Amino acid sequence: MKIKVSVPATSANIGSGFDALGLAVTLYNTVTFEDSEVLDISSADGTRIPRGESNLVYRSAKGLFEKVGKQIPPLKITQTNPIPMARGLGSSSACIIAGLLGANRMLGDVLNTQELLTLATSIEGHPDNVAPALLGGLTSSVFEEGKVYSVKRNVDETLCFAAIVPDYKLLTEAARAALPKEVSHKDAVYNLSRAALVPAAFCEGRHDLLAIATEDKLHQPYRMPLMPGSKEVFDMARLCGAKAVYVSGAGSTVMAVAEKAEAEKFYSKLEKGLELLEGLDGCEAFTLLRLDADNTGATVE
């Protein structure tokens, strides 16, 4: 037996859609599962990962086996992890989805997509990353009383994305701790009205709505002080032609959205601009990832 799972990176929140919206992009973690006499977990690309039972891919796979009343066998698990960790691009969700899909295939696909999504969300705690990782595209999701309600839409393929990844991590726990326990009714309405525009902006060609649809008052103003250089990156991306700029997930990555017709000019300007920002305010370097939307989601071979 050899099973290979590929899972896309994800960009959650999309500005206004805190803990509800997310989209998949063309950067992939891959995991292979093979029969083994003992548990053997390794990294094919040198990324440091847990090599015992605390490994998130393994824990997720084991959880599915336990859910259906089976004992997980010894496995050889090999991971390739280009999705940067603790940067707001869904690395943990990719591990969860990979573990669940690998286990599900071993068991003869005993769980359907809805059941997999519910189990993934129960592990992750919220669906905004696991839903697009599994389904692809742009997802709108709610997790309530142990059930996930999720709608997928394909992202407009004339859009391109620039993930601007700083050299520092921002753990989700720290990013969540920065948020206020209560927000004003005015701020809630502000976000709700803009989140309602996101599907039209990203999926229906209404690029004129991208900037306003991604505005936010619920999380970005509180998280950006934890992200050195992020304000300057926002400003730089807009000067380079970005139609929208937002904090990806909990950060520290900033995601910029542009039209593919202007992609080469956009990326070139952005690379030069980021060079000027390196060393600014506690960030020594930025990595620019050129991405498209992924409308397929995770795959199993």
Side-chain angles (χ1 to χ4, degrees), residues 49-298:
I49 57 171
R51 297 176 182 269
E53 293 191 8
S54 65
N55 178 280
L56 186 54
V57 172
Y58 178 79
R59 285 195 285 118
S60 301
K62 184 179 180 182
L64 194 154
F65 269 84
E66 291 173 347
K67 180 177 176 63
V68 299
K70 302 283 188 179
Q71 183 172 352
I72 191 169
L75 294 170
K76 179 181 179 182
I77 298 174
T78 306
Q79 298 180 224
T80 306
N81 302 280
I83 302 174
M85 297 180 181
R87 297 296 201 285
L89 288 169
S91 62
S92 62
S93 291
C95 290
I96 291 168
I97 295 298
L100 293 180
L101 287 178
N104 200 44
R105 180 57 54 88
M106 286 180 237
L107 291 164
D109 293 327
V110 292
L111 299 188
N112 61 31
T113 300
Q114 179 62 45
E115 291 167 330
L116 287 168
L117 181 55
T118 299
L119 183 54
T121 303
S122 68
I123 297 170
E124 177 73 351
H126 39 89
D128 51 340
N129 275 310
V130 292
L134 180 61
L135 305 173
L138 171 76
T139 60
S140 309
S141 307
V142 176
F143 183 45
E144 186 171 309
E145 296 181 352
K147 186 173 182 179
V148 181
Y149 303 86
S150 188
V151 175
K152 172 200 168 179
R153 300 170 180 85
N154 285 343
V155 176
D156 182 355
E157 293 186 358
T158 68
L159 293 176
C160 63
F161 297 80
I164 302 158
V165 187
D167 61 1
Y168 59 85
K169 297 180 178 181
L170 178 56
L171 297 178
T172 301
E173 294 81 359
R176 284 194 173 274
L179 302 181
K181 295 191 184 329
E182 297 180 355
V183 298
S184 70
H185 185 271
K186 182 179 179 180
D187 285 352
V189 172
Y190 181 96
N191 268 60
L192 180 61
S193 62
R194 283 151 178 79
L197 299 177
V198 168
F202 281 85
C203 305
E204 298 172 15
R206 289 295 307 274
H207 299 172
D208 57 310
L209 299 177
L210 284 164
I212 192 169
T214 51
E215 291 177 344
D216 163 72
K217 288 190 176 181
L218 296 186
H219 68 105
Q220 292 183 163
Y222 306 101
R223 288 172 164 172
M224 287 178 67
L226 304 178
M227 298 168 52
S230 58
K231 181 182 182 301
E232 290 80 5
V233 169
F234 265 62
D235 294 340
M236 178 65 70
R238 289 176 178 135
L239 286 173
C240 293
K243 297 291 185 180
V245 190
Y246 62 89
V247 174
S248 184
S252 55
T253 293
V254 171
M255 188 70 79
V257 187
E259 294 175 333
K260 280 187 181 177
E262 301 293 326
E264 287 308 313
K265 184 189 299 185
F266 169 64
Y267 288 132
S268 178
K269 286 183 177 180
L270 200 51
E271 284 181 338
K272 292 175 182 177
L274 291 174
E275 288 177 4
L276 298 176
L277 297 182
E278 290 183 350
L280 174 73
D281 195 23
C283 182
E284 293 302 320
F286 296 95
T287 299
L288 175 62
L289 302 176
R290 303 183 180 201
L291 305 170
D292 293 321
D294 176 293
N295 287 320
T296 301

